[in-house]
Amino acid sequence: MASSPTNTERRRATIADVAREAGVSAATAGRALGDYGYVREEIRERVRKAAEALGYRPNSLARSMITGRTNTIGVVGADIANPFFASAMRGIGDVARQEGFGTILTNSDEDVALEREAVGLLLQKQVDGIIVSPASPVETGHLIEAAQSGTPVVLLDRDVAGLTADAVLTDSVGASRTAVGHLLGLGHRRIAIIAELRTAHDKEWPNWIGSATEPDIQMLMPSGARLLGYIQAHEAAGVPIDTALIRGTGSYDPTTAREQTLVALRLDPPPSAIFTVDNVMTHGAYQACRSMGIRIPEDLSFVAYDDMEWMTFVEPNITALSQPVYEMGKATAEMLIRRLRSPGVEPAKRLLDTKLMVRGSTMAPR
């Protein structure tokens, strides 16, 4: 005698099963569960109870063919292993969940080709909109095409040229100017900076020194914008810049940051302070200081861009620029959902505040 089917073998409930259980037509059951078209509340409740009793799972693809929406948001993170993007993703996910949207997370690993592939995948999945931290400020054709095809794009942390879109940003130039100004105000005159400087536009930084014309911020990655703030702080204070103190890693990598920090620390004379442009650069630079037995802040004052939790665990605590990363993630999701519900609203840029958290890693130079 054949054995009865197990739970895993049991046939999946269909909309026809739900309709039969509720005593309505399949079309009525579909409208009741899909929240489209008119259905009396009494019948809607009966259908929902039938669906729950049968363990029915709605077919989101079929629903999207009727409504034109999948109630999903696609996210392309530049580096999802980075605590910055992990915190931003938490903000995105919290808002999306509250508003009835699911999220699909992809990663570009700071590579334009991978970002292009990720955007293509999300479009195939028919997400309602995309949140992205662009890997390049200029190679943005795929983002422009996505927006022009009717899929809204919201930019997180990074602006780009050629795309009129909602964006949530911080003032990287102004924040860096504040941080470096803090060091200059303490009396430091030799301040090293560790930055990626990967793009052609970021590498044009020698032309910014002493120039009356500022570069187009939209053409710069955050590291380039933060270097611009470093230069502006020196020029505002009337302090000459030793270009040997500007160390570009050429990659978004803590190992090369460590190597470039070691180069800076071995200069003659050495820097009395160091400024790192993000938490990846900070990781490498801090390792370099520890490996050389440098005392912070007695031998070297240390200021970091991005306030990570570990910076309050080490002794001394690290002075850092704190970005409202979770709030940035929330704001991007809110802007995207607003655009989905009101497509005609004008694109907007939200600029959130960055605060300098002064701690024990800075002091006047000896």
Side-chain angles (χ1 to χ4, degrees), residues 234-271:
H234 280 78
E235 293 184 341
V239 175
I241 295 173
D242 180 354
T243 57
L245 291 167
I246 298 175
R247 310 307 308 178
T249 65
S251 64
Y252 191 63
D253 171 59
T255 301
T256 50
R258 180 180 184 277
E259 292 167 355
Q260 288 300 318
T261 302
L262 291 173
V263 173
L265 295 175
R266 289 167 179 157
L267 292 172
D268 186 15

Side-chain angles (χ1 to χ4, degrees), residues 56-105:
Y56 172 74
R57 295 180 181 177
N59 186 328
S60 59
L61 180 59
R63 183 177 184 274
S64 72
M65 292 173 68
I66 298 169
T67 65
R69 291 282 176 86
T70 59
N71 276 16
T72 54
I73 291 172
V75 183
V76 185
D79 177 10
I80 59 176
N82 187 319
F84 175 96
F85 292 106
S87 182
M89 186 62 211
R90 179 66 182 269
I92 293 169
D94 285 352
V95 169
R97 193 179 311 108
Q98 290 167 8
E99 297 294 332
F101 287 80
T103 53
I104 300 176
L105 176 61

Side-chain angles (χ1 to χ4, degrees), residues 198-239:
R198 290 176 286 132
T199 70
H201 292 283
D202 290 347
K203 291 176 182 177
E204 292 176 358
W205 65 262
N207 299 327
W208 308 344
I209 300 174
S211 173
T213 304
E214 291 186 3
D216 184 349
I217 302 300
Q218 280 192 316
M219 306 294 280
L220 304 178
M221 292 293 281
S223 58
R226 292 162 192 176
L227 173 55
L228 178 60
Y230 167 96
I231 291 170
Q232 289 181 354
H234 280 78
E235 293 184 341
V239 175

Side-chain angles (χ1 to χ4, degrees), residues 119-190:
V119 169
L121 172 66
L122 293 173
L123 292 175
Q124 288 177 19
K125 297 293 183 182
Q126 297 185 331
V127 296
D128 296 330
I130 296 173
I131 296 170
V132 59
S133 293
S136 166
V138 292
E139 296 181 67
T140 56
H142 53 293
L143 300 179
I144 295 171
E145 288 176 11
Q148 290 177 343
S149 72
T151 303
V153 174
V154 177
L155 305 175
L156 168 64
D157 185 46
R158 303 170 182 182
D159 208 355
V160 298
L163 175 63
T164 302
D166 295 305
V168 178
L169 311 165
T170 58
D171 181 4
S172 285
V173 178
S176 293
R177 196 165 53 234
T178 297
V180 177
H182 167 67
L183 292 170
L184 291 166
L186 289 172
H188 293 278
R189 293 299 178 263
R190 290 186 59 76

Side-chain angles (χ1 to χ4, degrees), residues 82 84 226 252 276-280 282 304-308 311 320-323 325:
N82 187 319
F84 175 96
R226 292 162 192 176
Y252 191 63
T276 54
V277 302
D278 58 49
N279 68 81
V280 173
T282 300
Y305 207 114
D306 288 336
D307 190 15
M308 298 289 105
M311 295 178 186
L321 285 161
S322 178
Q323 298 189 84
V325 184

